[in-house]
Amino acid sequence: MDINTIYNEDCLETMKRMEDNSIDLVVTSPPYADRRKTTYGGIHPDNYVEWFLTISDELKRVLKPSGSFILNIKENVVDGERHTYVLELIIEMRKQGWLWTEEYMWHKKNSFPGYWPNRLRDGWERLLHFTKEKKFNMYQDQVKVPIGDWSKNRLKNISEKDKKRVESETNSGFGKNISNWVGKDMVLPNNVLYMASESSNKSHSAAFPEKLPEFFIKLFTKETDLIYDPFMGSGTTAKVSFELNRNFIGSELSKDYYKISKERLGKSKNVKKFFEWK
Amino acid sequence: MDINTIYNEDCLETMKRMEDNSIDLVVTSPPYADRRKTTYGGIHPDNYVEWFLTISDELKRVLKPSGSFILNIKENVVDGERHTYVLELIIEMRKQGWLWTEEYMWHKKNSFPGYWPNRLRDGWERLLHFTKEKKFNMYQDQVKVPIGDWSKNRLKNISEKDKKRVESETNSGFGKNISNWVGKDMVLPNNVLYMASESSNKSHSAAFPEKLPEFFIKLFTKETDLIYDPFMGSGTTAKVSFELNRNFIGSELSKDYYKISKERLGKSKNVKKFFEWK
DNA sequence: GTTCCGCATGAATCGATAG
DNA sequence: ACTATCGATTCATGCGGAA
C-alpha cells in the first residue's frame, strides 16, 4: 500500500489493499444524505445508514487500536423534521464494535441564510468521535489556545481569596486555584469548534475549513502518523496533513473533485503519487 | 386546573389533572441520568428512556397541537463513552407520535473545567425541539438580535453613497436600488444559543441561565399563553414566564427545590398559588 | 502599501406550481 | 395523490479591484 498517495476510486477499493490496524486517524466529511447529487448520486436518508455501515466496517479494520475516527455530518430536514439517520448510524456503529467516545460540535460563524416558518438558520454540525478502544492516542497539549482576555483582568489584581483554594459553592467537590493561572497563556479548548466555513471564491467548494481537520490532526496524531480520508472532496484534510508533516492516504470517487485535489496538492513536495482510476 | 400555580409533586400527578391540548409550551431541563440521586432515585442511563417516555406521553396529551416542547438534555459519559439514551429517546418519542422538528444547541461560554485523557471539556448541550404538528406557533420577530458589527461600516457607507447617487442622478430617471440591509439593525439568530451558564453564587445551583427559557418563550409563545415545566428545579423557567407575562404551571418533586422556587417566586405578584404536597 | 468597497456564494428549506 | 422543479428568503465572509 503506497502512502502519501491519493486515489481516484471508491474508498472501499482503496481500503481493500490496506493492512489491518495501519491507520492512526480518519478525518472525513462524507457526502450527506441527498446532497451532492451530481457526484454521488444522492444517497437517500432512509438508505444512508446501510450504505455507510459497509464503509465504517472497513474503517474499523484498518484503524489502529490507538487511533481515532472523526466523522463530520449533519442530518437534513425531511418532511419538516430532522431525519434520524445520524442517530441510527451512531447506534448501529456501536453494534459494529465502535465506541462513541465523544461528540464535538462545529459552531459555524457564517451559517447559511434563509427564513422558514418552523425553524431558524442552521448554525452547527456534528463532529462524531469514534474509537476502537477506551484508551487511544490524544495529545491535548498540541491544541492549546491562547487564554481569554478574562484572565488579564482577573489575574492583574488577584485577590487574597483567589490565592487560596476557592471551593465551588455547589459543593460539587471541584475547587480551583486561580493563582495557578499566573504566567500561563495557553489553555485547553473545549469540545466546541467555533469557526467560519471557508469562502467559496476559490475554484472548489470547500465548506470544510482547514482549521477543522487541523484541530483533530493535532489532537490525535503526532508527526509521521498516517491519516486517511475516504471522502477526500477537494482535499482539505490532505493538504493540512501534509503541511503538518503527517503521512496521508486519500480516496475520492468523483473525477472532478479528484482533479481539484490533485491540482491543490500538486505543489506539495510531500505528495508521492497520484493514482487515477481508469 | 389552577394556572399560575406551582405543585410540589410528581409531574405525572399534576398532568393527570390537566385537560387535553391545554399547554402552549413546555420548556424543561429534566434530571439527567444518574444525577440528583437523592431526589429522583438516580435514574440509570439504561432505564432513562423507559422512564421518560411515560412523561413525554402525558406531555403530548396536554400540549396544544400548535405548541412546542423544548427539552434541554445532554448524555453523560458512561464507561468512557457517551451514552446513547438521548438518541434512543428521540427515536422512541417519534414512535410515540412526536415530531423531532429541530435540535438547537446551547454553546456554553463558560464550560465546566476539567482535564481527562480521552476528552476535552464539555462545552455544549442539546435543546431538542419536539412538536405535535408540522405547523405550530413560532414568532421569530420576537427573538431578533442586533446585526453584526460588520454591517455598521458597510451600511453606513452604502447609504451615504446611495444618497449622493440619488442627488446627482435625480433627473436621470434611474430608479434607486438601495440595499435591503439599509436601516436594518436587527436580524434573525440561528439555532445556536451562545451564552454562559448562570453563576452558582446563589444558594441553588442554577446551571440553566434565564436567557435560555426566555429565548424559547419569546420564540414559541405570546403573552397570556400557558407554559408548563414538569421539572421546575429552582424555578428559572417559572420566573421568566411570569416576567414575560405568560401564564405558568410548574411541578417539582423535590421538597428542597420546591422551597427554593417558592422563595424565588414569592416576590412575584403573578404567582397565584403554592400547592405543597403532604 | 494600505484601506475601503462591492460582490458572489455557500452540505438550506418551504410552499407553490406544474406534470 | 404523488413527485419534480422553481422562486423566495437571508447573512457572513473573503477576495479582487478601486481609491
Side-chain angles (χ1 to χ4, degrees):
Chain A
M1 188 71 201
D2 289 319
I3 62 169
N4 295 329
T5 303
I6 63 171
Y7 296 89
N8 177 215
E9 63 183 1
D10 191 299
C11 59
L12 287 171
E13 294 299 317
T14 313
M15 284 194 278
K16 263 186 198 166
R17 303 190 300 275
M18 287 186 188
E19 287 176 24
D20 295 359
N21 309 318
S22 55
I23 303 289
D24 290 286
L25 173 66
V26 175
V27 185
T28 198
S29 189
Y32 297 2
D34 263 356
R35 304 292 168 212
R36 287 192 185 174
K37 277 187 185 171
T38 49
T39 38
Y40 286 93
I43 301 120
H44 192 276
D46 295 345
N47 308 325
Y48 197 89
V49 174
E50 192 187 5
W51 169 74
F52 197 83
L53 284 176
T54 62
I55 291 155
S56 60
D57 200 40
E58 268 293 273
L59 287 172
K60 186 162 162 286
R61 182 183 67 77
V62 301
L63 190 72
K64 286 184 189 173
S66 60
S68 282
F69 172 25
I70 295 293
L71 178 61
N72 170 224
I73 200 163
K74 175 78 188 221
E75 56 272 62
N76 54 322
V77 175
V78 176
D79 213 13
E81 278 184 279
R82 288 279 163 202
H83 200 279
T84 55
Y85 67 86
V86 176
L87 314 184
E88 289 157 27
L89 180 61
I90 294 170
I91 289 167
E92 293 302 319
M93 279 180 65
R94 287 191 73 246
K95 289 180 188 164
Q96 267 186 340
W98 286 101
L99 301 178
W100 182 38
T101 297
E102 180 59 310
E103 181 169 346
Y104 292 77
M105 182 64 40
W106 173 19
H107 178 181
K108 296 174 172 181
K109 278 183 182 170
N110 53 342
S111 47
F112 204 89
Y115 180 83
W116 305 281
N118 56 352
R119 64 190 66 250
L120 298 173
R121 293 176 301 129
D122 192 13
W124 62 277
E125 292 191 16
R126 304 179 194 280
L127 293 159
L128 305 172
H129 179 202
F130 295 99
T131 61
K132 288 171 76 169
E133 304 287 339
K134 283 183 199 171
K135 291 199 178 189
F136 50 89
N137 292 333
M138 190 167 182
Y139 310 99
Q140 311 205 352
D141 286 344
Q142 297 190 68
V143 294
K144 282 192 173 179
V145 293
I147 196 164
D149 287 336
W150 66 270
S151 71
K152 292 191 180 116
N153 297 321
R154 177 79 164 145
L155 299 178
K156 211 187 311 178
N157 36 14
I158 192 165
S159 71
E160 284 306 309
K161 194 187 176 190
D162 275 346
K163 283 177 187 164
K164 295 174 197 167
R165 187 177 169 80
V166 182
E167 294 292 342
S168 86
E169 307 282 347
T170 48
N171 292 325
S172 62
F174 189 88
K176 55 185 177 219
N177 195 333
I178 297 289
S179 58
N180 279 346
W181 289 106
V182 178
K184 278 192 188 176
D185 52 1
M186 299 294 275
V187 297
L188 287 170
N190 62 20
N191 60 359
V192 180
L193 286 81
Y194 183 45
M195 50 185 69
S197 58
E198 211 117 290
S199 160
S200 56
N201 260 13
K202 301 166 192 171
S203 55
H204 55 90
S205 67
F208 207 57
E210 291 182 9
K211 289 276 175 196
L212 222 145
E214 181 185 327
F215 178 83
F216 291 109
I217 287 168
K218 286 179 174 175
L219 186 56
F220 294 123
T221 68
K222 55 188 192 309
E223 292 204 354
T224 74
D225 275 359
L226 183 53
I227 294 159
Y228 177 54
D229 185 349
F231 302 98
M232 206 172 33
S234 54
T236 305
T237 300
K239 178 168 179 280
V240 177
S241 295
F242 289 131
E243 283 171 1
L244 294 172
N245 288 316
R246 268 69 173 175
N247 289 310
F248 180 83
I249 298 172
S251 307
E252 176 54 50
L253 182 57
S254 149
K255 192 123 197 154
D256 289 338
Y257 272 105
Y258 181 82
K259 279 180 186 166
I260 292 165
S261 284
K262 190 177 172 181
E263 203 167 317
R264 192 173 176 191
L265 300 172
K267 301 157 196 167
S268 172
K269 60 188 173 196
N270 292 314
V271 192
K272 297 247 167 54
K273 249 188 221 171
F274 297 100
F275 178 87
E276 275 189 66
W277 183 51
K278 312 299 171 195
Chain B
M1 188 71 201
D2 290 318
I3 62 168
N4 295 327
T5 302
I6 63 171
Y7 296 89
N8 176 214
E9 63 184 0
D10 191 299
C11 59
L12 287 171
E13 294 298 318
T14 312
M15 284 193 279
K16 263 186 198 166
R17 303 191 300 276
M18 287 185 189
E19 286 176 23
D20 294 359
N21 309 319
S22 55
I23 303 289
D24 291 286
L25 174 66
V26 176
V27 186
T28 197
S29 190
Y32 296 0
D34 258 359
R35 307 283 178 213
R36 277 200 198 176
K37 278 189 182 168
T38 51
T39 321
Y40 286 93
I43 300 121
H44 190 275
D46 295 346
N47 308 323
Y48 196 89
V49 174
E50 192 186 4
W51 168 74
F52 197 84
L53 284 176
T54 62
I55 289 155
S56 60
D57 199 39
E58 268 293 271
L59 286 173
K60 185 161 164 288
R61 182 183 66 79
V62 301
L63 190 73
K64 286 184 188 171
S66 61
S68 283
F69 172 25
I70 295 293
L71 178 60
N72 170 223
I73 200 163
K74 174 78 189 225
E75 55 273 66
N76 49 328
V77 175
V78 177
D79 212 14
E81 277 185 281
R82 289 280 163 200
H83 200 280
T84 54
Y85 66 85
V86 175
L87 314 184
E88 290 157 25
L89 180 61
I90 294 169
I91 290 167
E92 292 303 318
M93 279 179 65
R94 288 190 74 245
K95 289 179 188 164
Q96 268 187 340
W98 286 101
L99 301 179
W100 182 38
T101 297
E102 179 60 309
E103 182 169 348
Y104 293 77
M105 183 64 40
W106 174 18
H107 177 183
K108 297 174 175 183
K109 276 183 184 171
N110 53 344
S111 52
F112 205 81
Y115 182 85
W116 300 272
N118 56 352
R119 65 190 66 251
L120 298 172
R121 293 176 299 132
D122 193 12
W124 62 277
E125 292 191 16
R126 303 180 195 281
L127 292 159
L128 306 172
H129 180 202
F130 295 99
T131 62
K132 288 171 74 168
E133 304 287 341
K134 283 183 197 171
K135 293 200 177 190
F136 50 88
N137 292 334
M138 191 166 182
Y139 310 98
Q140 312 206 352
D141 286 344
Q142 297 190 69
V143 295
K144 283 193 170 178
V145 295
I147 198 165
D149 288 336
W150 64 270
S151 71
K152 290 202 179 104
N153 295 322
R154 282 279 300 278
L155 297 183
K156 192 170 56 184
N157 292 327
I158 286 175
S159 62
E160 278 171 11
K161 196 176 181 183
D162 193 66
K163 278 177 199 165
K164 282 178 198 166
R165 189 186 299 156
V166 169
E167 285 170 4
S168 62
E169 296 182 14
T170 314
N171 299 325
S172 70
F174 193 78
K176 53 181 182 177
N177 195 5
I178 301 176
S179 160
N180 286 334
W181 308 112
V182 175
K184 236 187 202 183
D185 50 359
M186 301 292 276
V187 297
L188 289 170
N190 63 20
N191 61 358
V192 179
L193 286 80
Y194 184 44
M195 49 184 70
S197 57
E198 211 118 290
S199 104
S200 53
N201 271 1
K202 299 166 193 172
S203 55
H204 53 89
S205 65
F208 206 59
E210 291 182 9
K211 290 275 175 196
L212 221 144
E214 182 185 324
F215 178 83
F216 291 109
I217 288 168
K218 286 179 173 174
L219 187 56
F220 294 123
T221 70
K222 55 189 191 309
E223 293 204 354
T224 73
D225 276 0
L226 184 54
I227 294 159
Y228 177 53
D229 185 350
F231 303 98
M232 205 173 31
S234 54
T236 305
T237 300
K239 180 169 177 279
V240 177
S241 295
F242 289 130
E243 284 171 0
L244 295 172
N245 288 317
R246 270 68 172 176
N247 288 310
F248 181 83
I249 298 173
S251 307
E252 175 55 50
L253 183 57
S254 151
K255 192 120 198 158
D256 289 339
Y257 271 105
Y258 181 82
K259 278 180 186 167
I260 291 165
S261 283
K262 190 177 172 180
E263 204 166 316
R264 192 173 177 191
L265 300 172
K267 301 156 196 168
S268 172
K269 61 188 175 194
N270 292 315
V271 192
K272 298 249 164 55
K273 250 189 222 172
F274 298 100
F275 177 89
E276 277 190 64
W277 184 50
K278 311 300 173 193

